[in-house]
């Protein structure tokens, strides 16, 4: 059982690191939002799932699963609100031609 | 296999990641980059809180703190983003 938790923990941590790098290195706001919204959600979901598995079968790991569900719902909505607000105030997406 | 040392290294790595996000918050050209960085910091602190709970063997207290922190962070992100809808200092 701890093998499953270990695999989940390391893969979740990998996605969190990738999302963090994505937020820093991407050229434009929308691509950064893309990285933060998707990569981070998956990374945290896997990480907290790994902790829930490590914690065994009791009430607390049920709450941990509730956190995973909440992050899965909340992060995309946050990303959507941010991108709409940015688009409404005139932020143009970055294009390859770099104008 | 999953010792306290492993959880501690995860905790320290996450705190380093949060400081990296702080770099994006400070540098971000538009106000929405800053909001995006703060959103990522908010969600990462949920995991930091849960890891703290595991390290101090009082998980059920820290899980409640992490849930309320996540909810508050998310609601504030939505409200601030809606506030900056028309006012963002965005160069066309």
């Amino acid at each position: 059982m701890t093998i499953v938790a270990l695999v989940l923990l390391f893969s979740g941590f990998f996605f969190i690191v990738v999302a963090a790098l994505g937020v820093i290195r991407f050229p434009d706001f929308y691509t950064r939002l893309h990285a933060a919204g998707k990569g981070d959600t998956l990374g945290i979901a896997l990480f907290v799932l790994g902790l829930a598995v490590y914690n065994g079968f009791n009430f607390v790991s049920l709450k941990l699963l509730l956190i995973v569900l909440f992050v899965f719902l909340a992060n995309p909505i946050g990303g959507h609100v941010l991108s709409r607000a940015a688009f409404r105030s005139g932020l143009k997406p970055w294009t390859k031609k770099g104008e | 296999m999953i010792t306290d040392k492993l959880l501690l290294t995860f905790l320290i790595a996450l705190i380093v990641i949060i400081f990296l996000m702080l770099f994006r918050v400070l540098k971000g050209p538009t106000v929405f980059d800053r909001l995006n960085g703060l959103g990522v910091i908010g969600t990462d602190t949920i995991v930091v809180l849960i890891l703290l709970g595991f390290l101090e063997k009082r998980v059920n207290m820290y899980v409640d703190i992490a849930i309320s922190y996540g909810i508050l962070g998310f609601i504030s992100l939505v409200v601030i983003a809606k506030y900056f809808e028309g006012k963002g200092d965005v160069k066309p």
Side-chain angles (χ1 to χ4, degrees):
Chain A
M1 192 48 82
T2 57
I3 303 292
V4 174
L6 258 176
V7 166
L8 281 174
L9 279 179
F10 275 103
S11 55
F13 185 69
F14 166 72
F15 279 110
I16 289 177
V17 169
V18 163
L21 283 179
V23 168
I24 286 176
R25 283 198 41 85
F26 274 149
D28 170 67
F29 164 69
Y30 292 106
T31 44
R32 277 179 220 126
L33 195 63
H34 194 69
K38 283 166 44 148
D40 212 21
T41 347
L42 182 62
I44 286 177
L46 285 178
F47 198 86
V48 175
L49 216 60
L51 287 178
V53 164
Y54 171 60
N55 196 7
F57 190 74
N58 53 23
F59 186 57
V60 173
S61 51
L62 185 68
K63 276 195 226 171
L64 283 172
L65 294 182
L66 180 71
I67 283 187
V68 170
L69 183 68
F70 172 73
V71 169
F72 248 79
L73 288 178
N75 242 339
I77 294 177
H80 167 69
V81 168
L82 264 177
S83 58
R84 198 174 66 141
F87 192 74
R88 281 260 171 89
S89 61
L91 185 64
K92 288 291 168 288
W94 177 79
T95 52
K96 202 80 180 82
K97 291 177 294 307
E99 80 270 2
Chain B
M1 198 91 74
I2 296 190
T3 62
D4 279 358
K5 228 157 63 60
L6 179 69
L7 294 181
L8 200 60
T9 47
F10 275 138
L11 186 69
I12 291 168
L14 276 169
I15 289 171
V16 165
I17 283 176
I18 284 177
F19 276 107
L20 283 177
M21 287 298 115
L22 208 57
F23 160 74
R24 168 52 55 193
V25 168
L26 294 178
K27 175 175 175 296
T30 63
V31 69
F32 301 107
D33 290 309
R34 294 192 172 91
L35 279 179
N36 186 19
L38 286 176
V40 172
I41 287 178
T43 43
D44 277 356
T45 41
I46 296 178
V47 183
V48 165
L49 280 171
I50 298 175
L51 277 177
L52 274 177
F54 269 94
L55 284 177
E56 285 166 18
K57 302 293 180 286
R58 286 170 60 96
V59 188
N60 42 29
M61 183 181 81
Y62 276 89
V63 165
D64 300 342
I65 298 174
I67 288 181
S68 47
Y69 189 87
I71 291 175
L72 286 179
F74 166 61
I75 288 178
S76 60
L77 177 77
V78 169
V79 167
I80 296 172
K82 284 187 82 66
Y83 170 74
F84 277 115
E85 193 136 330
K87 300 181 184 58
D89 55 352
V90 163
K91 295 167 287 308

mmCIF file of all heavy atoms in Angstrom, chain B residues 35-70:
data_model
loop_
_atom_site.group_PDB
_atom_site.id
_atom_site.type_symbol
_atom_site.label_atom_id
_atom_site.label_comp_id
_atom_site.label_asym_id
_atom_site.label_seq_id
_atom_site.Cartn_x
_atom_site.Cartn_y
_atom_site.Cartn_z
ATOM 1 N N LEU B 35 -2.197 37.918 -10.120
ATOM 2 C CA LEU B 35 -3.299 37.129 -9.552
ATOM 3 C C LEU B 35 -3.082 35.644 -9.789
ATOM 4 O O LEU B 35 -3.326 34.806 -8.915
ATOM 5 C CB LEU B 35 -4.607 37.574 -10.207
ATOM 6 C CG LEU B 35 -5.233 38.834 -9.638
ATOM 7 C CD1 LEU B 35 -6.497 39.169 -10.407
ATOM 8 C CD2 LEU B 35 -5.550 38.627 -8.176
ATOM 9 N N ASN B 36 -2.584 35.328 -10.979
ATOM 10 C CA ASN B 36 -2.343 33.922 -11.285
ATOM 11 C C ASN B 36 -1.301 33.349 -10.336
ATOM 12 O O ASN B 36 -1.484 32.267 -9.755
ATOM 13 C CB ASN B 36 -1.852 33.824 -12.736
ATOM 14 C CG ASN B 36 -1.729 32.393 -13.163
ATOM 15 O OD1 ASN B 36 -2.300 31.510 -12.558
ATOM 16 N ND2 ASN B 36 -0.938 32.159 -14.175
ATOM 17 N N GLY B 37 -0.212 34.109 -10.101
ATOM 18 C CA GLY B 37 0.810 33.632 -9.163
ATOM 19 C C GLY B 37 0.240 33.439 -7.773
ATOM 20 O O GLY B 37 0.496 32.433 -7.093
ATOM 21 N N LEU B 38 -0.610 34.395 -7.335
ATOM 22 C CA LEU B 38 -1.184 34.269 -5.985
ATOM 23 C C LEU B 38 -2.101 33.056 -5.915
ATOM 24 O O LEU B 38 -2.143 32.347 -4.908
ATOM 25 C CB LEU B 38 -1.947 35.547 -5.640
ATOM 26 C CG LEU B 38 -1.052 36.732 -5.322
ATOM 27 C CD1 LEU B 38 -1.885 37.965 -5.103
ATOM 28 C CD2 LEU B 38 -0.203 36.438 -4.103
ATOM 29 N N GLY B 39 -2.826 32.789 -7.019
ATOM 30 C CA GLY B 39 -3.694 31.612 -7.021
ATOM 31 C C GLY B 39 -2.893 30.344 -6.832
ATOM 32 O O GLY B 39 -3.256 29.453 -6.045
ATOM 33 N N VAL B 40 -1.744 30.273 -7.527
ATOM 34 C CA VAL B 40 -0.928 29.057 -7.394
ATOM 35 C C VAL B 40 -0.368 28.960 -5.989
ATOM 36 O O VAL B 40 -0.353 27.890 -5.371
ATOM 37 C CB VAL B 40 0.202 29.082 -8.451
ATOM 38 C CG1 VAL B 40 1.164 27.946 -8.216
ATOM 39 C CG2 VAL B 40 -0.371 28.992 -9.835
ATOM 40 N N ILE B 41 0.048 30.119 -5.417
ATOM 41 C CA ILE B 41 0.557 30.090 -4.033
ATOM 42 C C ILE B 41 -0.537 29.604 -3.102
ATOM 43 O O ILE B 41 -0.313 28.761 -2.215
ATOM 44 C CB ILE B 41 1.054 31.493 -3.642
ATOM 45 C CG1 ILE B 41 2.360 31.812 -4.361
ATOM 46 C CG2 ILE B 41 1.250 31.602 -2.152
ATOM 47 C CD1 ILE B 41 2.875 33.187 -4.063
ATOM 48 N N GLY B 42 -1.778 30.088 -3.326
ATOM 49 C CA GLY B 42 -2.878 29.690 -2.456
ATOM 50 C C GLY B 42 -3.102 28.193 -2.467
ATOM 51 O O GLY B 42 -3.211 27.532 -1.430
ATOM 52 N N THR B 43 -3.100 27.608 -3.667
ATOM 53 C CA THR B 43 -3.364 26.165 -3.708
ATOM 54 C C THR B 43 -2.173 25.379 -3.175
ATOM 55 O O THR B 43 -2.343 24.323 -2.567
ATOM 56 C CB THR B 43 -3.641 25.754 -5.164
ATOM 57 O OG1 THR B 43 -2.714 26.409 -6.001
ATOM 58 C CG2 THR B 43 -5.022 26.110 -5.573
ATOM 59 N N ASP B 44 -0.949 25.907 -3.372
ATOM 60 C CA ASP B 44 0.211 25.147 -2.863
ATOM 61 C C ASP B 44 0.242 25.160 -1.349
ATOM 62 O O ASP B 44 0.707 24.199 -0.715
ATOM 63 C CB ASP B 44 1.513 25.750 -3.425
ATOM 64 C CG ASP B 44 1.779 25.199 -4.816
ATOM 65 O OD1 ASP B 44 0.992 24.331 -5.245
ATOM 66 O OD2 ASP B 44 2.734 25.621 -5.451
ATOM 67 N N THR B 45 -0.252 26.233 -0.729
ATOM 68 C CA THR B 45 -0.211 26.244 0.736
ATOM 69 C C THR B 45 -1.171 25.209 1.315
ATOM 70 O O THR B 45 -0.976 24.754 2.443
ATOM 71 C CB THR B 45 -0.628 27.617 1.266
ATOM 72 O OG1 THR B 45 -1.715 28.083 0.487
ATOM 73 C CG2 THR B 45 0.518 28.576 1.197
ATOM 74 N N ILE B 46 -2.208 24.804 0.527
ATOM 75 C CA ILE B 46 -3.056 23.713 1.031
ATOM 76 C C ILE B 46 -2.194 22.480 1.266
ATOM 77 O O ILE B 46 -2.232 21.830 2.320
ATOM 78 C CB ILE B 46 -4.164 23.395 0.005
ATOM 79 C CG1 ILE B 46 -5.106 24.555 -0.190
ATOM 80 C CG2 ILE B 46 -4.936 22.169 0.410
ATOM 81 C CD1 ILE B 46 -6.169 24.286 -1.225
ATOM 82 N N VAL B 47 -1.330 22.182 0.278
ATOM 83 C CA VAL B 47 -0.527 20.958 0.412
ATOM 84 C C VAL B 47 0.492 21.128 1.532
ATOM 85 O O VAL B 47 0.744 20.208 2.314
ATOM 86 C CB VAL B 47 0.180 20.665 -0.940
ATOM 87 C CG1 VAL B 47 0.948 19.379 -0.870
ATOM 88 C CG2 VAL B 47 -0.832 20.604 -2.038
ATOM 89 N N VAL B 48 1.035 22.355 1.661
ATOM 90 C CA VAL B 48 2.003 22.572 2.737
ATOM 91 C C VAL B 48 1.332 22.345 4.089
ATOM 92 O O VAL B 48 1.874 21.684 4.981
ATOM 93 C CB VAL B 48 2.570 24.008 2.628
ATOM 94 C CG1 VAL B 48 3.284 24.408 3.895
ATOM 95 C CG2 VAL B 48 3.504 24.121 1.450
ATOM 96 N N LEU B 49 0.073 22.824 4.225
ATOM 97 C CA LEU B 49 -0.620 22.653 5.501
ATOM 98 C C LEU B 49 -0.833 21.175 5.802
ATOM 99 O O LEU B 49 -0.593 20.691 6.920
ATOM 100 C CB LEU B 49 -1.962 23.386 5.442
ATOM 101 C CG LEU B 49 -1.886 24.893 5.664
ATOM 102 C CD1 LEU B 49 -3.225 25.534 5.361
ATOM 103 C CD2 LEU B 49 -1.489 25.173 7.092
ATOM 104 N N ILE B 50 -1.250 20.415 4.782
ATOM 105 C CA ILE B 50 -1.519 18.991 5.031
ATOM 106 C C ILE B 50 -0.224 18.281 5.409
ATOM 107 O O ILE B 50 -0.183 17.444 6.324
ATOM 108 C CB ILE B 50 -2.169 18.374 3.781
ATOM 109 C CG1 ILE B 50 -3.505 19.045 3.504
ATOM 110 C CG2 ILE B 50 -2.359 16.897 3.941
ATOM 111 C CD1 ILE B 50 -4.148 18.596 2.233
ATOM 112 N N LEU B 51 0.885 18.654 4.729
ATOM 113 C CA LEU B 51 2.162 18.019 5.076
ATOM 114 C C LEU B 51 2.554 18.348 6.510
ATOM 115 O O LEU B 51 3.043 17.487 7.248
ATOM 116 C CB LEU B 51 3.244 18.496 4.109
ATOM 117 C CG LEU B 51 3.299 17.745 2.777
ATOM 118 C CD1 LEU B 51 4.342 18.355 1.873
ATOM 119 C CD2 LEU B 51 3.604 16.284 3.021
ATOM 120 N N LEU B 52 2.295 19.601 6.914
ATOM 121 C CA LEU B 52 2.584 19.952 8.319
ATOM 122 C C LEU B 52 1.771 19.070 9.248
ATOM 123 O O LEU B 52 2.259 18.574 10.268
ATOM 124 C CB LEU B 52 2.245 21.428 8.548
ATOM 125 C CG LEU B 52 3.342 22.420 8.211
ATOM 126 C CD1 LEU B 52 2.850 23.840 8.425
ATOM 127 C CD2 LEU B 52 4.546 22.159 9.104
ATOM 128 N N GLY B 53 0.506 18.845 8.861
ATOM 129 C CA GLY B 53 -0.321 17.989 9.700
ATOM 130 C C GLY B 53 0.268 16.603 9.828
ATOM 131 O O GLY B 53 0.326 16.001 10.897
ATOM 132 N N PHE B 54 0.767 16.071 8.717
ATOM 133 C CA PHE B 54 1.336 14.713 8.776
ATOM 134 C C PHE B 54 2.591 14.687 9.612
ATOM 135 O O PHE B 54 2.862 13.722 10.330
ATOM 136 C CB PHE B 54 1.641 14.220 7.357
ATOM 137 C CG PHE B 54 0.496 13.484 6.742
ATOM 138 C CD1 PHE B 54 -0.417 14.137 5.933
ATOM 139 C CD2 PHE B 54 0.306 12.142 7.011
ATOM 140 C CE1 PHE B 54 -1.489 13.465 5.392
ATOM 141 C CE2 PHE B 54 -0.770 11.464 6.470
ATOM 142 C CZ PHE B 54 -1.668 12.130 5.655
ATOM 143 N N LEU B 55 3.374 15.793 9.546
ATOM 144 C CA LEU B 55 4.628 15.777 10.308
ATOM 145 C C LEU B 55 4.361 15.853 11.797
ATOM 146 O O LEU B 55 5.072 15.267 12.608
ATOM 147 C CB LEU B 55 5.501 16.957 9.858
ATOM 148 C CG LEU B 55 6.181 16.755 8.502
ATOM 149 C CD1 LEU B 55 6.956 17.972 8.102
ATOM 150 C CD2 LEU B 55 7.093 15.538 8.552
ATOM 151 N N GLU B 56 3.276 16.555 12.188
ATOM 152 C CA GLU B 56 3.031 16.715 13.627
ATOM 153 C C GLU B 56 1.972 15.738 14.114
ATOM 154 O O GLU B 56 1.459 15.895 15.207
ATOM 155 C CB GLU B 56 2.592 18.152 13.915
ATOM 156 C CG GLU B 56 3.763 19.123 13.843
ATOM 157 C CD GLU B 56 3.273 20.548 13.789
ATOM 158 O OE1 GLU B 56 2.098 20.762 14.144
ATOM 159 O OE2 GLU B 56 4.042 21.423 13.367
ATOM 160 N N LYS B 57 1.640 14.752 13.266
ATOM 161 C CA LYS B 57 0.736 13.668 13.679
ATOM 162 C C LYS B 57 -0.600 14.204 14.163
ATOM 163 O O LYS B 57 -1.251 13.555 14.951
ATOM 164 C CB LYS B 57 1.396 12.833 14.796
ATOM 165 C CG LYS B 57 2.734 12.228 14.397
ATOM 166 C CD LYS B 57 2.583 11.176 13.329
ATOM 167 C CE LYS B 57 3.910 10.581 12.944
ATOM 168 N NZ LYS B 57 4.723 11.545 12.111
ATOM 169 N N ARG B 58 -1.041 15.399 13.754
ATOM 170 C CA ARG B 58 -2.380 15.860 14.099
ATOM 171 C C ARG B 58 -3.077 16.211 12.788
ATOM 172 O O ARG B 58 -3.360 17.367 12.483
ATOM 173 C CB ARG B 58 -2.285 17.117 14.974
ATOM 174 C CG ARG B 58 -1.850 16.832 16.394
ATOM 175 C CD ARG B 58 -1.556 18.128 17.118
ATOM 176 N NE ARG B 58 -2.705 18.999 17.181
ATOM 177 C CZ ARG B 58 -3.525 19.061 18.203
ATOM 178 N NH1 ARG B 58 -3.318 18.232 19.221
ATOM 179 N NH2 ARG B 58 -4.537 19.878 18.228
ATOM 180 N N VAL B 59 -3.365 15.174 11.984
ATOM 181 C CA VAL B 59 -3.785 15.460 10.616
ATOM 182 C C VAL B 59 -5.170 16.093 10.626
ATOM 183 O O VAL B 59 -5.439 17.037 9.889
ATOM 184 C CB VAL B 59 -3.797 14.159 9.790
ATOM 185 C CG1 VAL B 59 -4.041 14.476 8.336
ATOM 186 C CG2 VAL B 59 -2.466 13.463 9.916
ATOM 187 N N ASN B 60 -6.080 15.633 11.552
ATOM 188 C CA ASN B 60 -7.453 16.119 11.389
ATOM 189 C C ASN B 60 -7.555 17.599 11.695
ATOM 190 O O ASN B 60 -8.395 18.296 11.129
ATOM 191 C CB ASN B 60 -8.398 15.314 12.278
ATOM 192 C CG ASN B 60 -7.775 15.072 13.634
ATOM 193 O OD1 ASN B 60 -6.981 15.875 14.083
ATOM 194 N ND2 ASN B 60 -8.102 13.948 14.224
ATOM 195 N N MET B 61 -6.654 18.149 12.528
ATOM 196 C CA MET B 61 -6.732 19.596 12.737
ATOM 197 C C MET B 61 -6.272 20.318 11.480
ATOM 198 O O MET B 61 -6.937 21.229 10.978
ATOM 199 C CB MET B 61 -5.848 19.985 13.920
ATOM 200 C CG MET B 61 -5.928 21.459 14.248
ATOM 201 S SD MET B 61 -4.866 21.870 15.604
ATOM 202 C CE MET B 61 -3.305 22.013 14.763
ATOM 203 N N TYR B 62 -5.140 19.859 10.906
ATOM 204 C CA TYR B 62 -4.570 20.606 9.780
ATOM 205 C C TYR B 62 -5.414 20.475 8.529
ATOM 206 O O TYR B 62 -5.457 21.357 7.685
ATOM 207 C CB TYR B 62 -3.147 20.127 9.510
ATOM 208 C CG TYR B 62 -2.131 20.787 10.390
ATOM 209 C CD1 TYR B 62 -1.802 20.259 11.622
ATOM 210 C CD2 TYR B 62 -1.530 21.966 10.006
ATOM 211 C CE1 TYR B 62 -0.876 20.872 12.442
ATOM 212 C CE2 TYR B 62 -0.604 22.595 10.815
ATOM 213 C CZ TYR B 62 -0.290 22.034 12.033
ATOM 214 O OH TYR B 62 0.621 22.658 12.840
ATOM 215 N N VAL B 63 -6.132 19.319 8.407
ATOM 216 C CA VAL B 63 -6.947 19.166 7.199
ATOM 217 C C VAL B 63 -8.048 20.207 7.194
ATOM 218 O O VAL B 63 -8.341 20.832 6.166
ATOM 219 C CB VAL B 63 -7.518 17.737 7.150
ATOM 220 C CG1 VAL B 63 -8.637 17.642 6.140
ATOM 221 C CG2 VAL B 63 -6.430 16.767 6.790
ATOM 222 N N ASP B 64 -8.638 20.461 8.372
ATOM 223 C CA ASP B 64 -9.703 21.480 8.422
ATOM 224 C C ASP B 64 -9.133 22.852 8.073
ATOM 225 O O ASP B 64 -9.735 23.608 7.306
ATOM 226 C CB ASP B 64 -10.302 21.524 9.832
ATOM 227 C CG ASP B 64 -10.895 20.179 10.179
ATOM 228 O OD1 ASP B 64 -11.120 19.409 9.237
ATOM 229 O OD2 ASP B 64 -11.094 19.891 11.364
ATOM 230 N N ILE B 65 -7.934 23.147 8.609
ATOM 231 C CA ILE B 65 -7.328 24.453 8.268
ATOM 232 C C ILE B 65 -7.096 24.533 6.769
ATOM 233 O O ILE B 65 -7.378 25.536 6.114
ATOM 234 C CB ILE B 65 -6.001 24.618 9.034
ATOM 235 C CG1 ILE B 65 -6.245 24.606 10.538
ATOM 236 C CG2 ILE B 65 -5.299 25.879 8.635
ATOM 237 C CD1 ILE B 65 -4.980 24.622 11.336
ATOM 238 N N ALA B 66 -6.619 23.430 6.162
ATOM 239 C CA ALA B 66 -6.299 23.472 4.730
ATOM 240 C C ALA B 66 -7.574 23.671 3.917
ATOM 241 O O ALA B 66 -7.596 24.453 2.964
ATOM 242 C CB ALA B 66 -5.612 22.171 4.327
ATOM 243 N N ILE B 67 -8.674 23.015 4.325
ATOM 244 C CA ILE B 67 -9.923 23.175 3.561
ATOM 245 C C ILE B 67 -10.372 24.622 3.618
ATOM 246 O O ILE B 67 -10.647 25.259 2.583
ATOM 247 C CB ILE B 67 -11.014 22.239 4.138
ATOM 248 C CG1 ILE B 67 -10.712 20.783 3.792
ATOM 249 C CG2 ILE B 67 -12.369 22.611 3.600
ATOM 250 C CD1 ILE B 67 -11.755 19.829 4.300
ATOM 251 N N SER B 68 -10.378 25.203 4.841
ATOM 252 C CA SER B 68 -10.898 26.579 4.925
ATOM 253 C C SER B 68 -9.960 27.528 4.196
ATOM 254 O O SER B 68 -10.401 28.467 3.518
ATOM 255 C CB SER B 68 -11.016 26.982 6.390
ATOM 256 O OG SER B 68 -9.843 26.643 7.071
ATOM 257 N N TYR B 69 -8.669 27.271 4.258
ATOM 258 C CA TYR B 69 -7.731 28.144 3.541
ATOM 259 C C TYR B 69 -7.981 28.072 2.044
ATOM 260 O O TYR B 69 -7.993 29.080 1.334
ATOM 261 C CB TYR B 69 -6.297 27.739 3.859
ATOM 262 C CG TYR B 69 -5.291 28.726 3.333
ATOM 263 C CD1 TYR B 69 -4.926 29.822 4.087
ATOM 264 C CD2 TYR B 69 -4.754 28.589 2.064
ATOM 265 C CE1 TYR B 69 -4.027 30.749 3.600
ATOM 266 C CE2 TYR B 69 -3.863 29.503 1.565
ATOM 267 C CZ TYR B 69 -3.505 30.576 2.333
ATOM 268 O OH TYR B 69 -2.614 31.508 1.837
ATOM 269 N N GLY B 70 -8.208 26.842 1.538
ATOM 270 C CA GLY B 70 -8.449 26.707 0.105
ATOM 271 C C GLY B 70 -9.697 27.439 -0.317
ATOM 272 O O GLY B 70 -9.703 28.163 -1.320
#
